[in-house]
Amino acid sequence: QSVLTQPPSVSAAPGQKVTISCSGSSSNIGSNYVSWYQQVPGTAPKLLIYESNQRPSGIPDRFSGSKSGTSVTLGITGLQNGDEADYYCGTWDSSLSAYVFGTGTKVTVL
Amino acid sequence: QVTLRESGPALVKPTQTLTLTCTFSGFSLSTSGMCVSWLRQPPGKALEWLARINWGDAKHYNTSLKTRLTISKDTSKDHVVLTMTNMDPVDTATYFCARTPRGYGGYDEFDYWGQGTLVTVSS
């Protein structure tokens, strides 16, 4: 079961901006760093953001992460057709001693 | 170059035990902070974390599946093995292994993933 809550879908036209929220609790997002993963259907997830707001090498600065309390947000600016994918937030839950994921958000480029 | 590759049966029967192997290269599971996890994704559904083993052989499990899972490592052979007992059709999913380079301090990101292996549970 997913412990973190995300909107099922977001959409925007090419060049526009979308934001994806991820809501948790004090035992997960509230006390640990959050990562974001991008998954094109049929492929393995790819790390997009770590430490809540850091980008791995090779990830464009169109992708950004922020955190406030027990919620995090992923922002994608200058939306491109290649950004169509499922996006998941994830973090360690200190109460469960387990890694937990969000419910996933499908990004559609109109 | 870091790589991970999952291997195991594509088809298992209900009640059987599934054994999956993650073979990795480009890093050592003996390095402080290093972890390897197993995750899965049923068709059309969200990612689910299953289990993790770290550099010191500490193991953590998904609380809902804990009684059915066992994770182990063979550091000398760069393998991590997951066994899942009493398989059911609802366990049909693509199973991934992934690396965590900093399994401490609330970091825990998965920076490298295997390509995944589809396991179907059917009689």
Side-chain angles (χ1 to χ4, degrees), chain A residues 73-88:
Chain A
T73 300
L74 174 71
I76 310 174
T77 59
L79 203 61
Q80 301 177 359
N81 289 332
D83 297 332
E84 279 207 341
D86 296 316
Y87 292 79
Y88 295 92

Side-chain angles (χ1 to χ4, degrees), chain A residues 42-84:
Chain A
T43 69
K46 178 172 76 172
L47 179 64
L48 208 58
I49 296 287
Y50 66 98
E51 288 184 28
S52 303
N53 60 10
Q54 300 299 304
R55 290 184 309 276
S57 173
I59 301 300
D61 60 7
R62 299 187 300 105
F63 295 91
S64 64
S66 63
K67 177 178 171 179
S68 178
T70 58
S71 294
V72 291
T73 300
L74 174 71
I76 310 174
T77 59
L79 203 61
Q80 301 177 359
N81 289 332
D83 297 332
E84 279 207 341

Side-chain angles (χ1 to χ4, degrees), chain B residues 43-69:
Chain B
K45 296 190 176 181
L47 293 167
E48 180 180 34
W49 174 84
L50 298 177
R52 180 173 97 174
I53 191 165
N54 77 4
W55 71 101
D57 206 36
K59 300 159 189 175
H60 293 91
Y61 295 98
N62 180 309
T63 53
S64 299
L65 297 167
K66 186 173 184 176
T67 60
R68 300 174 53 205
L69 297 173

Side-chain angles (χ1 to χ4, degrees), chain A residues 32-33 35 37 39 44 51 88, chain B residues 41 49 64 102 106 109-110 114:
Chain A
N32 295 300
Y33 291 107
S35 300
Y37 304 90
Q39 186 181 31
E51 288 184 28
Y88 295 92
Chain B
Q41 185 173 39
W49 174 84
S64 299
R102 300 179 301 173
E109 70 273 10
F110 302 114

Side-chain angles (χ1 to χ4, degrees), chain A residues 1 4 6 10 14 22-23 31 43 49-51 64-65 99 101-102 105:
Chain A
Q1 74 284 13
L4 310 179
Q6 300 178 230
V10 296
C22 171
S23 177
S31 52
T43 69
I49 296 287
Y50 66 98
E51 288 184 28
S64 64
Y99 197 89
F101 282 102
T105 299

